[in-house]
Amino acid sequence: MIQTIHLKKRPVGAPTLDNFELTESENNLNIKDGEVLLETKYLSVDPYLRGRMSDAKSYVPPFEVGKPINSGIIAEVIDSKNENFKKGDFVRDRLDWKTLQVSDGENLQKVNPDKAPLSAYLGIVGMTGLTAYLGLHEIGKPKKGETLIVSGAAGAVGSVVGQIGKILGLTVIGIAGSDEKVELLKSEFGFDRGINYKTTDDMKAAIKEAAPNGVDIYFDNVGGEISDAVLFSINKFARTINCGAISVYNNTETPTGVSVQPFLIKNSALMQGFIVSNYSDKFPEAMEQLSTWLGEEKLTYRETIVEGFENTPQAFLDMMDGKKKGKMIVKV
Amino acid sequence: MIQTIHLKKRPVGAPTLDNFELTESENNLNIKDGEVLLETKYLSVDPYLRGRMSDAKSYVPPFEVGKPINSGIIAEVIDSKNENFKKGDFVRDRLDWKTLQVSDGENLQKVNPDKAPLSAYLGIVGMTGLTAYLGLHEIGKPKKGETLIVSGAAGAVGSVVGQIGKILGLTVIGIAGSDEKVELLKSEFGFDRGINYKTTDDMKAAIKEAAPNGVDIYFDNVGGEISDAVLFSINKFARTINCGAISVYNNTETPTGVSVQPFLIKNSALMQGFIVSNYSDKFPEAMEQLSTWLGEEKLTYRETIVEGFENTPQAFLDMMDGKKKGKMIVKV
């Protein structure tokens, strides 16, 4: 039996379980020469998937209604007619939300379960870590002693960004949505200061207080009002990495806020949209650095693992709600 | 007799003549060793001066109330005790709005009236041209065949940006505020297409129509709603040069508009504040290129010359109103 999760209908505003459909079908999969049969072990649910559920131009094509959703998946090779892969290998790829599927092996990347836990290849040594590392380096261009502010700081990417910032000698401030998360930023991820935006009336003032020397780098995972407030503290030559805008992804109208242009002009500041896949030539060196830091225990991570393929849609909704800490992963 | 124009009081919203004061005083200037006596010949009035009239943090300190305003000026050396300058030399510097003043010569830059008209050193081969050239190159990074859109296109900087774009093989679209200006863009400055934003109801649609292949580079002189509309047409890896935001400089509240972050993310796009003075190491090569193009008649320019030092405030107001075409200059 194969289970598949389809996009049933496109969400308008916040997604609900109604947007997804789980179907079951007979396993009649046969592999041909060059192909492998894959059994899904771990699925990654991420904010950017929300964008793909809408029928709008973006950096990846939208999901099609009635077709399986796809995301980063760790799978086990359970049968192979491809000389590069043997039964028992673990691989990573962007794959369909199916319990079993066939691949031609082209984009499969082998992962080593002895070097890091399998789920980490969807997180800190996978796209999450690469996003944090490459966004911070390639756009943020951090210099020791600068001030870095991170929104969505307790999230999968944000918590790695802050830790890398500390490794590089930055002052690191995190913005998150609960006192518990803010405490975690400081106690577990080594952030210097944290701001709970849900209990803070005046974010402009809170950011000014937390960053008395101003903000040199803003790693932005959320967009919206939080990012508007950061503008009032940016320094000359500040760099903003626009990595995500989770706060507005559910908007049905074009979101509005503070006009950034006057702030950019008066500070000679930069904002740049960041998509990790644009930097794939730098993945090997970045993964090497991330796994070294992980081995040296300079990096730590949190993940929330939800058991059961059928719970993937709910895991996605919980991740969007910000209810969970760290990287959200489904274990099949 | 020396005439001086002071900032009488800071403008709130749109400036008026009441914000300025002209005073007259005896000429008792004496130069010491190393100094020169300067007679103002041409003054430049520019949108960025509006920002300096407010008491807000910016890239240059605000003007002080009761003190002279300053801007780019071409002056004649009428007496010299500085070996680098002799009587009859013409020089350029940021100088006070005075008919006569003393300088230590430190920042004076000699200009050659035989190579270009004196007023051009405040315009196309001065800061205006440098702003257009360096903004387009350093942030825009133009590649032949791309689409460039310019706001404030009939203005001093915008008209040069468009011409350079055509020299470099770009498709160039200009946005301006009258049919006459739009016609001028095409007939005199070689723009491919123009949009009159004052008579266009749906700027989003008009930009999409004018730029069917999308916008690769946006040279933004105006900010506000026009810039919001451009966002809907930007291409992957688009670059926006935030050079000016004249449409919001008079705002008394923080201006708001479309949130740029989602557009930047989905297009891996860049926005960067541009201040020409950050690129002063590149002035010599840029001036060389600009004067070469001017000599080859590949560049042309319009200037509005207002006669009379005492008319400087009105010239500034008219420039802010967009009533005039090209670079606004006061001839003393």
Side-chain angles (χ1 to χ4, degrees):
Chain A
M1 195 66 73
I2 304 172
Q3 291 184 306
T4 303
I5 296 168
H6 301 84
L7 179 65
K8 189 177 177 188
K9 59 180 184 189
R10 300 195 186 284
V12 178
T16 65
L17 288 177
D18 290 344
N19 298 115
F20 304 91
E21 184 171 39
L22 177 77
T23 61
E24 299 198 335
S25 57
E26 288 302 312
N27 176 8
N28 52 9
L29 295 175
N30 286 300
I31 55 171
K32 297 183 299 234
D33 276 356
E35 293 183 337
V36 295
L37 184 61
L38 299 175
E39 185 176 81
T40 296
K41 293 293 175 187
Y42 294 93
L43 299 89
S44 177
V45 292
D46 307 277
Y48 78 90
L49 298 173
R50 173 64 185 87
R52 296 193 63 193
M53 290 173 193
S54 297
D55 187 17
K57 178 190 164 196
S58 189
Y59 54 92
V60 282
F63 296 127
E64 288 179 54
V65 173
K67 295 281 177 67
I69 293 172
N70 61 62
S71 69
I73 282 178
I74 303 293
E76 183 176 354
V77 176
I78 58 171
D79 197 3
S80 176
K81 292 185 180 176
N82 181 313
E83 60 184 11
N84 297 320
F85 302 95
K86 62 177 194 301
K87 202 175 155 180
D89 279 350
F90 290 96
V91 295
R92 192 215 156 275
D93 195 4
R94 171 180 296 282
L95 293 166
D96 284 345
W97 285 7
K98 288 169 169 274
T99 49
L100 285 171
Q101 59 199 299
V102 172
S103 165
D104 62 8
E106 200 180 345
N107 294 311
L108 298 182
Q109 184 186 3
K110 266 191 241 190
V111 299
N112 182 349
D114 299 327
K115 204 170 167 191
L118 280 175
S119 63
Y121 290 97
L122 294 177
I124 194 145
V125 290
M127 287 301 157
T128 304
L130 289 171
T131 298
Y133 182 92
L134 290 170
L136 186 58
H137 277 84
E138 298 297 319
I139 297 177
K141 301 194 190 338
K143 290 187 284 289
K144 193 174 172 176
E146 288 190 323
T147 297
L148 164 68
I149 194 160
V150 186
S151 61
V157 170
S159 63
V160 185
V161 171
Q163 292 179 82
I164 297 175
K166 290 313 298 175
I167 292 171
L168 300 176
L170 309 177
T171 296
V172 179
I173 299 151
I175 302 173
S178 74
D179 287 345
E180 191 194 350
K181 285 180 181 176
V182 166
E183 189 48 40
L184 188 75
L185 294 180
K186 293 187 279 187
S187 62
E188 186 157 331
F189 298 122
F191 284 58
D192 295 289
R193 291 183 275 282
I195 300 170
N196 176 355
Y197 73 89
K198 287 196 177 157
T199 57
T200 301
D201 288 334
D202 186 345
M203 281 297 289
K204 268 169 64 176
I207 292 164
K208 275 188 198 296
E209 191 185 331
N213 299 320
V215 172
D216 300 297
I217 307 174
Y218 174 35
F219 198 108
D220 184 6
N221 291 304
V222 304
E225 290 178 14
I226 290 171
S227 299
D228 287 352
V230 172
L231 287 169
F232 293 84
S233 283
I234 60 171
N235 285 334
K236 194 171 180 190
F237 301 123
R239 291 83 67 197
T240 292
I241 302 110
N242 294 111
C243 183
I246 195 170
S247 73
V248 302
Y249 283 159
N250 287 338
N251 285 26
T252 50
E253 311 228 326
T254 303
T256 59
V258 171
S259 289
V260 303
Q261 290 88 347
F263 293 92
L264 297 184
I265 295 170
K266 73 180 176 186
N267 296 296
S268 301
L270 175 147
M271 295 179 73
Q272 190 169 357
F274 176 80
I275 308 294
V276 69
S277 54
N278 294 337
Y279 298 86
S280 55
D281 58 319
K282 300 202 160 67
F283 284 5
E285 65 177 91
M287 287 181 81
E288 184 60 36
Q289 180 65 78
L290 288 163
S291 47
T292 299
W293 282 336
L294 192 65
E296 294 170 351
E297 298 186 346
K298 287 182 177 169
L299 287 181
T300 185
Y301 63 101
R302 281 249 178 148
E303 59 187 11
T304 298
I305 295 194
V306 173
E307 303 257 348
F309 178 79
E310 69 282 8
N311 294 319
T312 306
Q314 187 62 52
F316 171 74
L317 300 181
D318 289 348
M319 178 278 307
M320 288 293 288
D321 274 350
K323 282 181 191 156
K324 306 292 171 173
K325 285 179 288 286
K327 175 70 189 170
M328 175 76 88
I329 284 170
V330 178
K331 183 172 192 289
V332 179
Chain B
M1 195 68 72
I2 303 172
Q3 290 184 306
T4 303
I5 296 168
H6 301 85
L7 180 64
K8 188 177 177 188
K9 59 181 185 190
R10 299 195 185 284
V12 178
T16 65
L17 288 178
D18 290 344
N19 298 114
F20 303 92
E21 184 171 39
L22 178 77
T23 60
E24 298 197 337
S25 56
E26 289 302 313
N27 176 7
N28 50 10
L29 295 175
N30 287 301
I31 55 171
K32 297 184 299 234
D33 277 356
E35 293 182 338
V36 296
L37 183 61
L38 300 175
E39 186 175 82
T40 296
K41 293 293 176 188
Y42 293 93
L43 299 88
S44 177
V45 293
D46 307 277
Y48 77 90
L49 298 174
R50 173 63 187 86
R52 296 193 64 193
M53 290 173 192
S54 297
D55 187 16
K57 178 190 164 196
S58 188
Y59 54 91
V60 281
F63 295 126
E64 289 178 53
V65 174
K67 295 281 176 67
I69 294 173
N70 61 63
S71 71
I73 282 178
I74 303 293
E76 184 176 353
V77 176
I78 58 171
D79 197 2
S80 175
K81 292 184 179 174
N82 181 312
E83 61 184 10
N84 298 320
F85 303 95
K86 62 177 194 303
K87 203 173 153 179
D89 281 350
F90 290 97
V91 294
R92 192 215 156 273
D93 195 3
R94 173 181 294 283
L95 292 166
D96 284 346
W97 285 8
K98 287 169 170 276
T99 49
L100 286 171
Q101 59 199 299
V102 172
S103 165
D104 62 7
E106 200 180 345
N107 294 311
L108 297 182
Q109 186 186 1
K110 265 191 241 189
V111 300
N112 182 350
D114 298 327
K115 203 169 169 192
L118 279 176
S119 62
Y121 289 97
L122 294 177
I124 194 143
V125 290
M127 288 301 157
T128 304
L130 290 170
T131 298
Y133 182 92
L134 291 169
L136 186 59
H137 277 84
E138 298 297 319
I139 297 177
K141 300 194 188 343
K143 290 187 284 289
K144 192 174 172 175
E146 290 191 322
T147 297
L148 163 69
I149 193 161
V150 186
S151 61
V157 169
S159 62
V160 184
V161 171
Q163 292 179 81
I164 297 175
K166 289 314 299 175
I167 293 172
L168 300 176
L170 308 177
T171 296
V172 180
I173 299 152
I175 302 173
S178 75
D179 287 345
E180 191 193 352
K181 285 180 181 175
V182 165
E183 189 48 41
L184 188 75
L185 293 181
K186 293 187 279 189
S187 61
E188 186 157 332
F189 298 121
F191 284 58
D192 295 289
R193 289 183 276 283
I195 300 170
N196 176 355
Y197 74 89
K198 287 197 178 158
T199 57
T200 302
D201 288 334
D202 186 345
M203 280 297 289
K204 268 168 64 176
I207 292 165
K208 275 188 199 296
E209 191 185 331
N213 298 321
V215 172
D216 300 297
I217 307 174
Y218 174 35
F219 199 108
D220 184 7
N221 291 304
V222 304
E225 289 178 15
I226 290 171
S227 299
D228 288 351
V230 173
L231 287 168
F232 293 83
S233 284
I234 60 171
N235 285 336
K236 193 172 182 190
F237 300 123
R239 291 84 67 195
T240 293
I241 302 110
N242 294 111
C243 183
I246 195 170
S247 73
V248 302
Y249 284 160
N250 288 338
N251 285 26
T252 50
E253 311 227 328
T254 303
T256 58
V258 170
S259 290
V260 303
Q261 289 89 347
F263 293 92
L264 297 185
I265 295 169
K266 74 179 175 187
N267 296 295
S268 301
L270 175 148
M271 295 180 72
Q272 190 168 357
F274 176 79
I275 308 293
V276 68
S277 54
N278 295 337
Y279 299 85
S280 55
D281 58 318
K282 300 202 161 68
F283 284 5
E285 66 177 91
M287 288 181 80
E288 184 60 36
Q289 180 64 78
L290 288 163
S291 48
T292 299
W293 281 336
L294 191 66
E296 294 170 352
E297 297 186 347
K298 288 183 177 168
L299 287 181
T300 184
Y301 64 101
R302 281 250 179 147
E303 59 187 10
T304 299
I305 295 194
V306 173
E307 304 256 348
F309 179 78
E310 69 282 7
N311 294 320
T312 306
Q314 187 62 53
F316 172 74
L317 300 181
D318 289 349
M319 180 277 306
M320 288 293 289
D321 274 351
K323 282 181 190 157
K324 306 292 171 173
K325 285 180 285 288
K327 176 70 189 168
M328 176 76 88
I329 284 169
V330 178
K331 184 172 191 289
V332 179

